[in-house]
């Protein structure tokens, strides 16, 4: 055998080993919009929910001339019929969100070739919620997920007040967008629940906001607090948001030693006619994050940014601050071309000290495709990196690959939660 053939053979074995390790790795999905079964109808699952995902609704409106109001007046099933016909039958489902539906069907053992939506519906109708959760977790290789828990949500709040949340696979994250992005209305809600706040953010209002955050972080056993932020997010600045972050959110997060997760770069309701599908993206200023990390070294921060243009600066910020953990390829970045680019960039700039992906699933079955597609890409990128190392003379062992992969798919997150800066 020629020397380079042996080399190529070794590389293939290394690639197969990495692929196997990634395929087997149990995942902690650190940001989803899923709910534990105890939340009842808040846990979305089933084929009509999968097909009416807002990613697909946006694509439907491009491909159809149906008036917005006509679509919204339809029931869920009729909406799914319209999307299926338009995006899957009348055109080829080339987009990532469309491909996701196909992967879900295939991985659940349904006959993709039939294209028979009613047959898929019949299969889903025969499943029970709990069993479906178990099946989906098994199929996706999920160990546990973090929900998005909003005390301002009138459907969700009562479940927590009745203390019915318990399912060890579903962790809570306290989501506080209404506080930080709309203090005027947010504080009025707090007042209604007995917290002595005021629009002017007096010392008492700040103390009461801390009490609100403490109450909810404790009630939910929140693993982190989270907010989505617009592209013009700035810190420091003279605004209720900046004051609340500095004087309410971060003191509570520090006291509980939980991270504050920032999801930056979303412009809400660029096209309100699209409802949940109507949000857009904008490039943000990463120096705001750097200033936070520098000013609050005893706090932990998590960061995901929506603009492709921000990814490099994000990695550079993470190199500077060990209290900052970058995570996921969020929303419009959750496409193979971008996952590949961003994962490569992160590994090259910050090594394995990153959470490469989260699913953002809103519908249970979506975790199947999101993780299937991401595992394939992450495995390929990792295999390239291990091959580069091997060629450089480093002996890559299976034990170490398994360690790294476990870290990337969950271990790093759990260690960051333990870490006290
Ligand atoms: O703010 C968020 O957490 C976003 O991920 C969602 O609200 C968004 O609608 C989404 O589903 C993205 O994947
Ligand atoms: Zn989300």
């Amino acid at each position: 055998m020629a020397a380079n053939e042996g080399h190529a053979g070794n590389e293939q074995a290394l690639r197969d080993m990495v692929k196997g390790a990634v395929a087997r790795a149990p995942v902690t999905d650190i940001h989803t919009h899923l709910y534990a079964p105890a939340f009842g109808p808040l846990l979305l699952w089933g084929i009509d929910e999968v097909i009416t995902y807002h990613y697909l609704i946006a694509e439907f409106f491009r491909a159809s001339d149906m008036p917005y109001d006509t679509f919204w007046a339809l029931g869920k099933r009729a909406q799914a019929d319209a999307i299926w016909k338009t995006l899957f039958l009348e055109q080829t489902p080339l987009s990532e969100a469309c491909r996701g539906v196909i992967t879900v069907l295939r991985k659940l053992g349904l006959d993709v070739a039939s294209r028979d939506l009613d047959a898929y519906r019949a299969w889903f109708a025969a499943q029970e919620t709990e069993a479906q959760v178990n099946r989906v977790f098994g199929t996706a290789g999920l160990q546990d997920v973090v929900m998005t828990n909003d005390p301002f949500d009138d459907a969700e709040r009562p479940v927590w007040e009745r203390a019915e949340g318990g399912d060890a696979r579903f962790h809570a994250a306290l989501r506080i967008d209404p506080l930080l992005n709309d203090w005027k209305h947010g504080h009025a809600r707090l007042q209604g629940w007995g917290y002595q706040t005021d629009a002017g953010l007096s010392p008492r209002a700040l103390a009461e906001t801390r009490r609100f955050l403490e109450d909810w972080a404790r009630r939910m056993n929140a693993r982190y607090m989270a907010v989505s932020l617009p592209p013009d997010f700035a810190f420091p600045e003279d605004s209720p948001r900046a004051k609340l972050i500095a004087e309410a959110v971060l003191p509570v997060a520090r006291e509980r030693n939980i991270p504050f997760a920032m999801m930056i770069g979303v412009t809400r309701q660029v096209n309100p006619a699209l409802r949940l599908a109507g949000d857009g993206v904008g490039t943000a200023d990463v120096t705001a994050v750097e200033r936070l990390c520098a000013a609050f070294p005893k706090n932990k921060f998590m960061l995901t940014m929506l603009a492709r243009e921000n990814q490099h600066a994000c990695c550079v910020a993470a190199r500077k601050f060990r209290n900052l953990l970058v995570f996921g390829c969020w929303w419009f970045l959750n496409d193979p071309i971008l996952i590949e680019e961003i994962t490569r960039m992160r590994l090259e700039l910050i090594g394995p000290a990153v959470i490469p992906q989260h699913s953002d699933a809103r519908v249970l079955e979506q975790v199947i495709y999101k993780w299937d597609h991401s595992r394939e890409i992450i495995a390929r990128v990792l295999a390239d990196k291990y091959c580069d190392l091997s060629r450089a003379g480093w002996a890559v062992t299976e034990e170490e690959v398994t360690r790294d992969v476990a870290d990337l798919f969950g271990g790093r997150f759990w260690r960051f939660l333990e870490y006290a800066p």
Side-chain angles (χ1 to χ4, degrees):
M1 189 194 285
N4 61 350
E5 270 177 46
H7 188 66
N10 289 343
E11 285 209 352
Q12 193 51 51
L14 181 52
R15 284 182 184 282
D16 291 345
M17 186 256 276
V18 173
K19 199 171 165 191
V22 170
R24 283 190 302 275
V27 170
T28 294
D29 192 340
I30 72 130
H31 170 60
T32 75
H33 297 264
L34 302 179
Y35 291 90
F39 288 79
L42 288 177
L43 170 59
L44 303 181
W45 66 276
I47 192 62
D48 287 331
E49 296 292 352
V50 168
I51 293 175
T52 54
Y53 191 22
H54 68 76
Y55 292 26
L56 291 168
I57 289 177
E59 292 172 29
F60 166 79
F61 280 127
R62 292 194 60 72
S64 163
D65 51 16
M66 184 184 285
Y68 297 125
D69 289 345
T70 308
F71 178 82
W72 294 121
L74 298 173
K76 177 84 57 187
R77 187 188 171 102
Q79 289 178 348
D81 281 335
I83 294 173
W84 181 255
K85 180 164 168 286
T86 304
L87 294 184
F88 293 79
L89 303 180
E90 292 174 356
Q91 64 180 44
T92 300
L94 288 172
S95 76
E96 173 64 5
C98 283
R99 179 170 73 116
V101 177
I102 313 294
T103 301
V104 166
L105 294 172
R106 178 175 56 82
K107 288 265 191 175
L108 288 174
L110 294 158
D111 177 12
V112 172
S114 77
R115 303 187 186 181
D116 183 349
L117 181 51
D118 283 330
Y120 306 146
R121 284 187 174 125
W123 182 87
F124 277 92
Q127 313 308 318
E128 302 284 348
T129 306
E130 282 281 355
Q132 184 68 353
V133 171
N134 296 340
R135 178 184 295 107
V136 168
F137 269 57
T139 308
L142 268 193
Q143 183 174 281
D144 43 14
V145 304
V146 182
M147 307 179 278
T148 296
N149 302 103
D150 181 357
F152 293 84
D153 181 336
D154 294 332
E156 177 170 353
R157 199 175 51 259
V159 184
W160 291 108
E161 284 165 350
R162 293 195 302 268
E164 284 174 355
D167 180 323
R169 294 169 300 181
F170 291 79
H171 307 284
L174 173 54
R175 183 74 178 242
I176 51 174
D177 289 32
L179 264 193
L180 296 185
N181 294 332
D182 186 8
W183 171 245
K184 198 168 136 238
H185 293 103
H187 103 80
R189 303 290 306 276
L190 262 62
Q191 275 187 338
W193 297 321
Y195 297 91
Q196 307 296 305
T197 57
D198 52 66
L201 279 169
S202 66
R204 186 179 69 168
L206 286 163
E208 285 291 275
T209 306
R210 287 194 293 273
R211 186 166 70 85
F212 167 80
L213 294 170
E214 276 156 13
D215 287 349
W216 278 96
R218 193 177 332 103
R219 178 174 284 143
M220 292 175 170
N221 186 21
R223 306 296 169 155
Y224 59 82
M225 283 192 266
V227 67
S228 73
L229 294 161
D232 64 2
F233 170 60
F235 190 92
E237 76 174 353
D238 183 15
S239 68
R241 180 196 285 135
K243 201 169 172 64
L244 282 160
I245 290 177
E247 296 183 45
V249 176
L250 293 180
V252 173
R254 189 168 55 237
E255 181 64 27
R256 296 188 66 82
N257 195 31
I258 57 175
F260 175 45
M262 293 171 287
M263 308 174 68
I264 309 176
V266 54
T267 308
R268 297 290 177 190
Q269 298 298 282
V270 167
N271 183 354
L274 265 61
R275 300 193 183 177
L276 192 55
D279 301 337
V281 59
T283 309
D285 180 1
V286 183
T287 62
V289 176
E290 292 174 340
R291 287 198 204 97
L292 277 165
C293 293
F296 299 90
K298 293 283 174 200
N299 274 95
K300 297 184 285 194
F301 298 89
M302 289 162 54
L303 174 66
T304 199
M305 298 189 76
L306 197 50
R308 181 189 196 176
E309 293 79 359
N310 279 132
Q311 300 310 314
H312 182 248
C314 239
C315 292
V316 175
R319 290 178 67 86
K320 306 298 144 191
F321 297 99
R322 63 181 168 189
N323 57 339
L324 177 63
L325 181 59
V326 169
F327 72 96
C329 303
W330 183 24
W331 200 343
F332 311 115
L333 299 173
N334 198 347
D335 298 300
I337 183 174
L338 297 165
I339 300 169
E340 172 133 11
E341 172 183 287
I342 293 167
T343 305
R344 262 177 216 286
M345 191 192 293
R346 287 170 173 173
L347 287 177
E348 290 174 15
L349 272 153
I350 41 185
V354 67
I355 300 174
Q357 191 54 305
H358 68 266
S359 78
D360 235 307
R362 285 182 172 267
V363 180
L364 176 66
E365 290 81 6
Q366 288 166 343
V367 292
I368 296 175
Y369 94 77
K370 301 240 187 186
W371 284 106
D372 182 72
H373 296 185
S374 286
R375 275 185 212 262
E376 186 187 325
I377 301 160
I378 295 167
R380 183 164 64 239
V381 174
L382 274 177
D384 285 351
K385 295 294 151 207
Y386 287 119
C387 284
D388 289 349
L389 273 177
S390 168
R391 259 177 259 130
W394 186 258
V396 178
T397 70
E398 180 155 12
E399 201 185 351
E400 286 166 355
V401 169
T402 306
R403 173 200 63 193
D404 298 347
V405 168
D407 211 38
L408 289 166
F409 284 85
R412 176 73 52 173
F413 171 67
W414 291 109
R415 281 214 312 285
F416 192 67
L417 292 193
E418 294 291 312
Y419 161 62

